[in-house]
Amino acid sequence: MKNYINIAVFFILLNSCMAQSPVLDITDISMFNTVKGAYYKDTKNVLSGYDGTYLYTNGTTSFKIKLQKNIMTSRNGQFYEDLVAGEYQLIENGVEKVNTLSQLTPTSNINHISGKRVLTGTTLGCDDCRADEKRLRLGFSDITPQNVGEIDIRKTTVDGRDAIIVSIWYTGPVAVKEGAPKPKGGIIRAGTYTMIKLKK
């Protein structure tokens, strides 16, 4: 009788393990092919090391970005994912034009900067990247909801201080490339910014 109980317990445990959601690496996700209930985890920690607040200054203009790694964020209950989320502040001529920094939370996946795409080497436009260098390509939106685009974030150092090189461009509703004016109704100009990490 004891053997039957042990076998029954074994099969119950086996069934419950098989019914659990799979844990997959973030690089296994596709926009068009996701596994319902899966957890897309940063198993190789490639999203780590971007956390912090970074500042670009040019005269009386300052552009600040705050980034953080969010763990096991729900994507509309369909699946879970690790991602980098961020918000920003822009001050021009001493006047604050936008400040969404307070909207950054550890669980939200609805941020003005958000995503988990990792690019390696010279892939998609980084001619001077090392072959093994990793950088992020995340979604970006201006405070006007229809002004959406992408942001590339590359780690670097400036005068021995941690920094990032940020490139922003818009893909819709009208494409705006680097150096072009802001999108209609937009606040943040497309372009490349070198941003120094602020001390905590």
Side-chain angles (χ1 to χ4, degrees), residues 28-191:
D28 295 333
I29 195 169
S30 160
M31 278 177 51
F32 307 106
N33 188 20
T34 56
V35 177
K36 186 169 178 151
Y39 172 25
Y40 292 93
K41 184 178 175 64
D42 182 18
T43 59
K44 298 177 181 109
N45 286 319
V46 291
L47 299 180
S48 298
Y50 292 92
D51 289 38
T53 303
Y54 299 85
L55 180 66
Y56 163 85
T57 56
N58 183 3
T60 58
T61 296
S62 68
F63 181 33
K64 185 184 290 183
I65 289 179
K66 186 174 183 181
L67 300 172
Q68 69 185 23
K69 180 177 175 180
N70 287 358
I71 305 295
M72 203 171 181
T73 304
S74 173
R75 181 66 74 169
N76 297 326
Q78 296 298 308
F79 59 89
Y80 299 88
E81 61 186 346
D82 294 345
L83 54 80
V84 172
E87 294 293 344
Y88 52 78
Q89 176 193 44
L90 176 67
I91 296 173
E92 286 182 336
N93 300 319
V95 177
E96 185 176 76
K97 299 292 186 176
V98 62
N99 185 348
T100 66
L101 296 173
S102 65
Q103 296 176 27
L104 191 60
T105 67
T107 56
S108 176
N109 66 355
I110 303 171
N111 293 98
H112 289 92
I113 301 169
S114 181
K116 66 193 162 308
R117 187 171 183 192
V118 178
L119 303 177
T120 303
T122 58
T123 304
L124 296 178
C126 186
D127 296 336
D128 61 338
C129 284
R130 297 181 320 275
D132 63 341
E133 184 177 344
K134 306 265 191 259
R135 68 189 195 285
L136 301 179
R137 177 162 291 178
L138 310 177
F140 180 85
S141 66
D142 202 293
I143 58 168
T144 306
Q146 70 268 18
N147 292 328
V148 296
E150 294 183 323
I151 179 171
D152 273 7
I153 302 173
R154 181 181 180 197
K155 293 179 189 176
T156 190
T157 57
V158 174
D159 297 327
R161 297 171 66 187
D162 289 337
I164 55 175
I165 299 170
V166 167
S167 295
I168 298 171
W169 65 96
Y170 291 92
T171 55
V174 177
V176 178
K177 297 296 181 189
E178 184 175 327
K182 301 169 194 169
K184 185 175 182 182
I187 301 291
I188 306 300
R189 181 180 295 277

